[in-house]
Amino acid sequence: MIASILLAWSITQGQASQGMFKVLFPAPTGTNGLEDYVLATDLMDDGFWPAYKNWAPPESRAESIRQQQVYQRAFDPSAPPPDPKFVELQQRLKDMNLLQLREEAVAAFTKPLHLITTGNDKPCLVRVDNGSKFPSVGMITDLSLLELDSAYVDASRSRTDAMIADLTNVLLLADRTCRNTYIGSMIATIEQQRVCDACAENLDRLSVQDAIAIETMVTDFLQATPVFIDAYRAAFQSEQEDVARSLRALKAGSQNATKDKQLAGFNQVMSGMSDPEVDQMIQRAQQSIGDAGRIFLSRFSGPEETWLPQDAPGDSLFSDVTPRSPDDVESYFVQHWSLPEVTKPRRLAQALRARTLMRLLRLHATIIAYRWQHEVLPKSLIDLQLPSGYDFDPLSKRQFVYKLSGDGYELYSVGSPFTGKIELGVAGPSTSQPAEINP
Amino acid sequence: MTLTFSIVALLAVQAGTLQQQVIPDPTGANGYEEYLQAADIVDTRQFKDFKRWEASLTSKPGTESAPSGLSEKSSALTRKTYEANTFGKALSLVVEGNTKPTSRGTKAVMVEFSPFNDLVKLGIDASYVAYAKGDWKAGTNELLALLVFANNVTRELAMGYVAGSSMTQRTLTALDEHRSQWTVSDCDRIVKAVDELLAAPPSIIAAFKSERSFQLGNVDAAIDPDKKIPREVLDEKLEAQIVIRMKSLTVADRDKVKTIVRNKIGVAFAAYLSRLQKPEGDWLDNKRLAPTDPNAKIPLATLEDLADAFLLDDLLPDNDTVIPAVANRNRLRQMRLNALIQKFRWQNGRFPTQLSEAASKEAGLDPLTGEPFQYERHGASYRVYSKGTAVTGEIDLSARSAHKK
């Protein structure tokens, strides 16, 4: 079996490429989830994973291969010929269908899958090494992708209980790893949407017990502090550090000001300031950012339906995150940070949309359990005898809409001006892509 | 159906278990014995009371007493779980019967077909419980076992053919309702089961042959002027005419009537058995054949008229008789396509854009039309069906769109 070959290879390759784990954790504690995640990623860095990620379905395979060849020549014409084992592996993967491919990945990476589970049971202590933050976005998305593939394979084998455990792992992974940067929270939002999509694909396959498990999964998710709140907090703290770093750089004249006349002017002003004066300016700037952060974050201590006002300006900033300063230099910095972009209402709306999707998922699960019990769909959500709040969407500030339709039903949220109608399994606005964010 | 119903009516009052009545001398090598033992489990007061109570929940709530442990507030799943737990042994017997050759013989007493229908209800409900619990394999296995059972019943006489055809359609519909729950291995097992059912000699041929033997064997008993045979369909005027004419006949004339009846039965069956040797697409006359049932004229002037009166509503094969067999074989093919499509979906993460992506040319061919089966995408779902013929109308797996004439 290819799986056993890959496993053997992954172990030998893994041993060779366990450098990241060894570098980051020369004395592992066993109590930091990050250790498990990094080790899992090391084990996946074996040739199979890149080949796996480059796999394309037959209908677009020729184009995919052509593009890979073009890129390879364009970027690295002198690159040594690829490892024959890698070529052979790619050839084998090429002949597989999607399910076989996912089965191979899951079989080859049982250990990384196990490590995700063990990592999720521990706190994740972030590491910064040579300016890089760990876990990285790539690491999180690779681990999530592996879990989602495992969920697909489990569903194909009717192991929906295991599928739900896999999807819970994706949520927990995002919960543990994405609270420290705003870009991380964007990843978390995407992973939450992926979990909802995977469940939407499998709604008809859920048993009564599965429906209860999903209800529990979603309720746990909703009761936890949202990832994006901690991410906002981290972003404000990060900006306080950045503004100090930048102002000191200006003072030292090391800030590259050649392309920015205004910056060049500030450079000149600051070079004439004494160190205590610069320190005071940094303090004021940090205070200004901190105040803005506290005001902004205070919205999340209220009920969820107040987090995003319906009349919030769509592409502008929330008014409470635009710090002001009497000092031109300091004001320039506090207004030209990356936070304003992430504190746009439409950004917050994307995170809240994911929460609405999770609420919809919980309702779908409850409806499915009802259908199994009664062999008919509920006439209205009242028939479900839901716990308080289950049928309310804080984003739209309205009840979810439920309608019988033909042999099935429709369930959705009317959403907000930023999201439009929200339905499980239906793609949302493309603004959820993190690539638009300047970290 | 006169001969069949008449004999059944006369003999149905016999006492004893269904097995004792139908196969009084069991061999242990005949799966039909297990079927009858299974039928005996549902042919009990307990099951009938349960069924009556369940039916009363929608028609006349509160008029029947609930079985122990259940109440009017019990959910459908709770009721089905009770049913599966209480009577599930019957389904194990069906599965055991499926492993052996099956033959009911030509005992005239036909008391098992109604309980057989109850076994299908029980099996469908048990599969529902299995699916609800997430045991997809057990749910699918239950329904596949019912398909084999129904097909074996379809082979037995005209009554079995009628009952078995209905049982087959109900089972296929139930299986189709769970198609989104099939795993890849479920899909493989469904394809294998359908392949085996289609590869075996068509059950309608066995049914016609056994019914022909049965009817020929009962001509003497049926055409007896001294027996007052209750007839299900004949009107009183005709009934009276038959009695008067029969009493007026000499023994020789009576024998002539029997000979005419035998000949007509033989000719009618021979014509259709011959047609059933042709490719499946030629089984039906799409212009709709004239009814082969004789046209009785009153007064019954000739012996021929008298013979026709005897055969008036007997189950002689005609075009309509063949339709259930054709439709169910067509549905089996659709079931196979559904399994191939669901498997394709698992393997590729999408539905096929064309049927040929998921199924071979042979599997995709609809023998009724000589064209590929119809495959339509509807958003996140799809529909497979046969355009059918003028006689059958569209055929698909849904009970709602059963063949239209």
Side-chain angles (χ1 to χ4, degrees):
Chain A
M1 281 299 294
I2 296 175
S4 55
I5 298 168
L6 288 170
L7 186 59
W9 189 21
S10 80
I11 289 168
T12 53
Q13 293 284 315
Q15 283 167 349
S17 64
Q18 278 182 17
M20 188 160 69
F21 180 78
K22 284 181 178 168
V23 167
L24 289 174
F25 304 106
T29 62
T31 57
N32 180 1
L34 181 59
E35 294 170 3
D36 302 62
Y37 302 144
V38 170
L39 187 55
T41 311
D42 277 349
L43 290 172
M44 290 164 69
D45 184 23
D46 67 349
F48 174 78
W49 190 251
Y52 171 66
K53 286 207 294 186
N54 283 334
W55 183 89
E59 57 271 23
S60 57
R61 191 171 284 157
E63 177 59 16
S64 171
I65 291 170
R66 190 189 67 76
Q67 284 184 5
Q68 281 177 42
Q69 290 168 345
V70 168
Y71 290 145
Q72 194 172 354
R73 282 194 213 103
F75 290 108
D76 193 5
S78 63
D83 184 339
K85 273 196 249 177
F86 183 75
V87 173
E88 184 191 342
L89 177 63
Q90 272 199 317
Q91 188 60 38
R92 287 184 180 181
L93 294 184
K94 194 163 67 69
D95 294 334
M96 291 181 184
N97 63 43
L98 189 65
L99 178 59
Q100 288 170 328
L101 189 79
R102 287 174 168 166
E103 286 172 338
E104 291 297 335
V106 170
F109 296 127
T110 50
K111 193 164 183 190
L113 282 166
H114 177 70
L115 285 166
I116 295 170
T117 307
T118 55
N120 284 345
D121 285 339
K122 306 169 190 172
C124 177
L125 308 176
V126 177
R127 278 288 300 265
V128 179
D129 197 82
N130 286 331
S132 300
K133 274 190 179 175
F134 293 93
S136 65
V137 167
M139 186 189 293
I140 297 165
T141 50
D142 277 359
L143 295 176
S144 290
L145 184 59
L146 180 60
E147 277 289 4
L148 288 164
D149 286 347
S150 179
Y152 189 92
V153 170
D154 282 330
S156 78
R157 293 172 179 169
S158 88
R159 296 181 55 216
T160 40
D161 53 342
M163 174 194 81
I164 294 166
D166 294 330
L167 296 177
T168 304
N169 265 341
V170 174
L171 288 180
L172 288 175
L173 177 68
D175 180 271
R176 304 290 188 268
T177 58
C178 295
R179 292 180 180 272
N180 301 295
T181 60
Y182 190 78
I183 185 75
S185 83
M186 293 298 290
I187 296 299
T189 298
I190 289 171
E191 298 307 338
Q192 289 154 14
Q193 289 170 353
R194 283 183 176 152
V195 166
C196 289
D197 288 344
C199 287
E201 282 284 307
N202 290 288
L203 281 179
D204 284 341
R205 301 188 183 100
L206 300 180
S207 67
V208 176
Q209 285 303 317
D210 294 335
I212 293 168
I214 282 188
E215 187 188 340
T216 305
M217 176 183 84
V218 174
T219 302
D220 289 349
F221 167 83
L222 290 171
Q223 283 176 349
T225 303
V227 168
F228 62 84
I229 295 180
D230 282 343
Y232 277 129
R233 186 171 291 111
F236 278 100
Q237 286 169 357
S238 172
E239 287 309 314
Q240 286 177 314
E241 292 161 13
D242 283 354
V243 82
R245 211 169 15 250
S246 297
L247 287 171
R248 288 212 169 88
L250 267 181
K251 162 75 175 125
S254 58
Q255 188 83 318
N256 185 356
T258 54
K259 291 181 182 173
D260 188 331
K261 285 183 182 174
Q262 193 181 14
L263 201 59
F266 293 143
N267 201 346
Q268 202 172 7
V269 171
M270 290 205 65
S271 60
M273 291 170 71
S274 68
D275 286 345
E277 283 173 328
V278 171
D279 287 344
Q280 280 182 356
M281 180 184 278
I282 289 171
Q283 266 191 347
R284 286 201 306 276
Q286 287 182 329
Q287 181 71 37
S288 178
I289 294 169
D291 289 346
R294 271 185 293 280
I295 293 168
F296 179 75
L297 288 166
S298 67
R299 75 181 59 244
F300 300 116
S301 59
E304 192 169 335
E305 55 267 36
T306 64
W307 292 358
L308 180 69
Q310 293 286 27
D311 57 356
D315 209 32
S316 305
L317 308 181
F318 281 109
S319 56
D320 51 13
V321 290
T322 310
R324 293 281 179 267
S325 169
D327 187 289
D328 284 347
V329 175
E330 151 191 336
S331 188
Y332 173 84
F333 277 100
V334 297
Q335 288 183 58
H336 287 75
W337 57 9
S338 56
L339 260 182
E341 172 63 22
V342 301
T343 51
K344 284 177 177 173
R346 65 188 176 92
R347 295 291 179 201
L348 176 57
Q350 289 311 309
L352 295 179
R353 180 180 178 276
R355 289 175 70 77
T356 295
L357 284 172
M358 295 296 280
R359 287 186 164 92
L360 282 168
L361 173 59
R362 182 168 63 179
L363 268 184
H364 276 289
T366 315
I367 291 166
I368 284 158
Y370 181 97
R371 188 175 61 185
W372 277 124
Q373 286 291 346
H374 300 278
E375 225 181 348
V376 291
L377 288 166
K379 291 189 188 73
S380 75
L381 293 180
I382 295 168
D383 290 353
L384 296 174
Q385 299 180 318
L386 296 165
S388 175
Y390 269 40
D391 57 350
F392 180 72
D393 175 29
L395 177 59
S396 62
K397 302 171 183 53
R398 293 185 193 182
Q399 307 282 318
F400 287 106
V401 179
Y402 172 78
K403 291 178 191 167
L404 290 173
S405 168
D407 291 338
Y409 65 92
E410 284 179 59
L411 179 68
Y412 60 89
S413 158
V414 295
S416 75
F418 310 108
T419 62
K421 182 179 173 182
I422 303 171
E423 282 180 278
L424 199 65
V426 177
S430 60
T431 49
S432 61
Q433 295 303 313
E436 296 179 20
I437 301 286
N438 297 317
Chain B
M1 193 84 74
T2 308
L3 294 176
T4 306
F5 277 132
S6 304
I7 303 297
V8 171
L10 276 178
L11 301 177
V13 292
Q14 288 187 1
T17 63
L18 296 174
Q19 185 180 342
Q20 286 165 347
Q21 292 178 66
V22 180
I23 304 181
D25 301 312
T27 62
N30 180 2
Y32 211 83
E33 293 161 14
E34 273 83 10
Y35 293 167
L36 292 168
Q37 291 163 24
D40 273 320
I41 292 176
V42 293
D43 191 38
T44 54
R45 182 171 203 84
Q46 190 185 9
F47 187 82
K48 288 174 181 169
D49 284 351
F50 169 76
K51 222 173 77 167
R52 198 178 309 115
W53 169 74
E54 202 179 32
S56 76
L57 293 175
T58 48
S59 57
K60 293 177 183 172
T63 56
E64 300 286 339
S65 56
S68 174
L70 295 176
S71 76
E72 280 185 31
K73 289 183 179 172
S74 300
S75 69
L77 181 58
T78 306
R79 296 196 303 267
K80 289 174 196 288
T81 304
Y82 166 88
E83 183 186 0
N85 290 343
T86 310
F87 308 105
K89 174 78 169 61
L91 298 173
S92 306
L93 287 165
V94 168
V95 171
E96 197 180 331
N98 285 346
T99 62
K100 304 176 183 176
T102 62
S103 171
R104 86 175 294 284
T106 52
K107 266 281 188 192
V109 57
M110 295 188 201
V111 285
E112 75 271 36
F113 296 115
S114 175
F116 279 178
N117 259 314
D118 287 340
L119 284 175
V120 171
K121 174 200 172 335
L122 172 63
I124 289 173
D125 287 349
S127 73
Y128 184 95
V129 173
Y131 281 120
K133 287 180 178 171
D135 193 347
W136 304 350
K137 186 177 178 183
T140 304
N141 279 350
E142 193 63 71
L143 294 173
L144 289 179
L146 286 185
L147 264 189
V148 174
F149 167 54
N151 185 64
N152 286 340
V153 172
T154 308
R155 298 165 50 83
E156 305 293 345
L157 304 173
M159 288 283 280
Y161 172 71
V162 172
S165 296
S166 160
M167 290 156 60
T168 300
Q169 189 181 345
R170 283 171 61 201
T171 306
L172 284 171
T173 302
L175 190 54
D176 185 54
E177 281 173 3
H178 293 289
R179 72 181 175 203
S180 61
Q181 281 139 2
W182 299 339
T183 61
V184 172
S185 63
D186 286 335
C187 294
D188 287 340
R189 278 181 297 122
I190 290 168
V191 169
K192 184 169 178 281
V194 171
D195 283 347
E196 286 172 1
L197 286 170
L198 290 174
S203 52
I204 186 174
I205 295 177
F208 277 13
K209 285 181 176 173
S210 59
E211 179 65 18
R212 179 177 61 183
S213 302
F214 177 75
Q215 289 192 14
L216 291 174
N218 282 293
V219 169
D220 284 347
I223 305 178
D224 184 339
D226 297 329
K227 282 184 182 168
K228 174 75 176 171
I229 298 176
R231 295 177 190 282
E232 300 268 333
V233 182
L234 297 186
D235 63 35
E236 287 179 9
K237 198 173 170 185
L238 185 56
E239 177 75 31
Q241 279 284 321
I242 290 174
V243 173
I244 291 166
R245 283 289 283 128
M246 284 300 294
K247 288 195 172 171
S248 71
L249 292 182
T250 63
V251 173
D253 281 348
R254 204 174 298 150
D255 287 344
K256 281 182 189 168
V257 173
K258 289 177 185 173
T259 303
I260 295 169
V261 169
R262 283 196 190 95
N263 284 342
K264 283 179 180 276
I265 291 171
V267 168
F269 277 102
Y272 274 88
L273 282 169
S274 165
R275 182 182 285 187
L276 294 173
Q277 299 303 319
K278 293 180 183 175
E280 204 171 319
D282 297 331
W283 286 6
L284 285 175
D285 183 341
N286 288 319
K287 291 179 198 156
R288 187 178 285 279
L289 288 177
T292 51
D293 277 347
N295 196 9
K297 305 171 204 98
I298 297 176
L300 303 170
T302 66
L303 296 183
E304 182 92 10
D305 291 340
L306 186 57
D308 283 349
F310 268 109
L311 292 166
L312 186 60
D313 77 326
D314 207 353
L315 187 66
L316 293 181
D318 66 7
N319 217 35
D320 285 356
T321 321
V322 182
I323 289 175
V326 168
N328 276 344
R329 288 178 71 82
N330 198 279
R331 290 188 185 99
L332 278 171
R333 288 188 163 83
Q334 292 177 37
M335 183 59 68
R336 180 169 60 190
L337 286 177
N338 277 336
L340 292 169
I341 289 167
Q342 293 293 340
K343 183 176 178 180
F344 179 93
R345 188 190 184 193
W346 277 122
Q347 290 181 331
N348 298 280
R350 63 178 176 85
F351 283 119
T353 49
Q354 293 179 340
L355 203 50
S356 56
E357 274 189 285
S360 68
K361 191 177 174 184
E362 187 190 359
L365 183 68
D366 177 1
L368 259 188
T369 61
E371 298 171 9
F373 278 98
Q374 303 300 301
Y375 173 68
E376 294 172 358
R377 290 294 314 277
H378 297 284
S381 187
Y382 69 90
R383 183 187 174 210
V384 167
Y385 66 100
S386 164
K387 284 196 286 191
T389 68
V391 174
T392 63
E394 278 183 8
I395 301 172
D396 74 12
L397 283 164
S398 160
R400 289 184 306 281
S401 49
H403 71 266
K404 300 162 200 152
K405 292 185 180 178

